[in-house]
Amino acid sequence: MRSDRETPAGRLAQWLEELERFDLPDWDSLPELDLYMDQVILLLTRYLAPIDRDSDERSITASIINNYVRMKVMPPPVKKRYSRTHLAYLVIICTLKQSLSIACIQRLLPAGQGEEAARELYTQFIRQYRRSVDFIRGISVRGGRLALEDSGELLMEGGGSLTLTTAILSTLSKSLTEFLLRPEGGAEDEDYDDE
């Protein structure tokens, strides 16, 4: 007899429990002091660990961050130090790169508009991320069918929110699909790794 954790409904419930314990930091929770690269990597690893739980490779490295700067996806550091703005960019990039190309993510990010534009986008991103999580928490499996509970509406506000919201939902959907396909023990089958 299969345990509840082995059924699709049980696996969905388990993923939703894990999702509920995970939250991205608000703008004001990001460090005010500028950080060096190794500090940025440690902090991002802690912030994003639940998103990368199935990955054997580190999702954020110095060379990856340097590539984002070189490709002008994010602003360059100032005297090898990364500000709150850089961290906000990196949280958005690392969250959305699970389902979007870097070129698509780059179109979402404000180019050269300063800290206030980054703060505004990051605040909107965190708000929409939390709303998307609440929306997805309304999913249940009944009689072999997916059902959406009372949260059948997802509030969006401001220009560009539809794009941001669908990007976040795409990332969450990909995460759920990978979780459901993961063997019960949690180990990934390396033969099917597409990266």
Side-chain angles (χ1 to χ4, degrees), residues 44-60:
L44 286 172
T45 301
R46 189 175 70 212
Y47 287 161
L48 303 169
I51 293 173
D52 296 325
R53 67 177 160 239
D54 293 333
S55 178
D56 290 335
E57 294 180 27
R58 291 179 55 182
S59 67
I60 192 75

Side-chain angles (χ1 to χ4, degrees), residues 15 95-96 99-100 125 128-129 131-137 139 154 156 161-177:
W15 182 80
T95 301
L96 296 180
S99 62
L100 295 178
F125 176 79
Q128 288 305 117
Y129 177 84
R131 287 178 180 157
S132 297
V133 167
D134 288 343
F135 180 76
I136 286 184
R137 274 201 302 246
I139 296 173
L154 183 57
M156 292 179 287
S161 287
L162 177 61
T163 305
L164 195 58
T165 301
T166 56
I168 293 166
L169 287 171
S170 175
T171 299
L172 292 171
S173 295
K174 181 179 183 282
S175 174
L176 173 57
T177 302

Side-chain angles (χ1 to χ4, degrees), residues 5-61:
R5 294 283 190 202
E6 294 175 12
T7 67
R11 300 277 291 170
L12 174 62
Q14 182 182 2
W15 182 80
L16 290 171
E17 285 172 19
E18 290 180 20
L19 186 63
E20 185 140 351
R21 289 191 299 264
F22 171 67
D23 193 19
L24 295 172
D26 292 317
W27 176 268
D28 293 330
S29 297
L30 297 173
E32 291 182 50
L33 298 173
D34 292 348
L35 305 173
Y36 288 107
M37 178 72 80
D38 57 339
Q39 296 168 311
V40 169
I41 292 169
L42 286 171
L43 193 60
L44 286 172
T45 301
R46 189 175 70 212
Y47 287 161
L48 303 169
I51 293 173
D52 296 325
R53 67 177 160 239
D54 293 333
S55 178
D56 290 335
E57 294 180 27
R58 291 179 55 182
S59 67
I60 192 75
T61 64

Side-chain angles (χ1 to χ4, degrees), residues 20-165:
E20 185 140 351
R21 289 191 299 264
F22 171 67
D23 193 19
L24 295 172
D26 292 317
W27 176 268
D28 293 330
S29 297
L30 297 173
E32 291 182 50
L33 298 173
D34 292 348
L35 305 173
Y36 288 107
M37 178 72 80
D38 57 339
Q39 296 168 311
V40 169
I41 292 169
L42 286 171
L43 193 60
L44 286 172
T45 301
R46 189 175 70 212
Y47 287 161
L48 303 169
I51 293 173
D52 296 325
R53 67 177 160 239
D54 293 333
S55 178
D56 290 335
E57 294 180 27
R58 291 179 55 182
S59 67
I60 192 75
T61 64
S63 62
I64 289 172
I65 293 172
N66 288 332
N67 282 338
Y68 296 153
V69 170
R70 186 180 45 77
M71 296 179 337
K72 298 184 183 348
V73 178
M74 61 180 273
V78 177
K79 297 181 182 177
K80 297 185 178 187
R81 298 184 122 198
Y82 294 83
S83 67
R84 186 183 274 184
T85 298
H86 293 102
L87 289 172
Y89 272 83
L90 287 166
V91 167
I92 293 170
I93 293 166
C94 292
T95 301
L96 296 180
K97 79 176 184 176
Q98 307 298 317
S99 62
L100 295 178
S101 70
I102 294 301
C104 286
I105 294 169
Q106 188 172 21
R107 288 191 289 271
L108 284 171
L109 299 173
Q113 296 179 17
E115 183 175 316
E116 193 51 44
R119 179 186 182 125
E120 187 177 313
L121 175 67
Y122 187 76
T123 300
Q124 182 183 14
F125 176 79
I126 295 301
R127 186 180 316 119
Q128 288 305 117
Y129 177 84
R130 290 176 180 156
R131 287 178 180 157
S132 297
V133 167
D134 288 343
F135 180 76
I136 286 184
R137 274 201 302 246
I139 296 173
S140 65
V141 178
R142 286 185 257 159
R145 296 179 184 201
L146 280 178
L148 196 55
E149 301 296 327
D150 296 335
S151 65
E153 195 173 297
L154 183 57
L155 178 66
M156 292 179 287
E157 60 187 48
S161 287
L162 177 61
T163 305
L164 195 58
T165 301

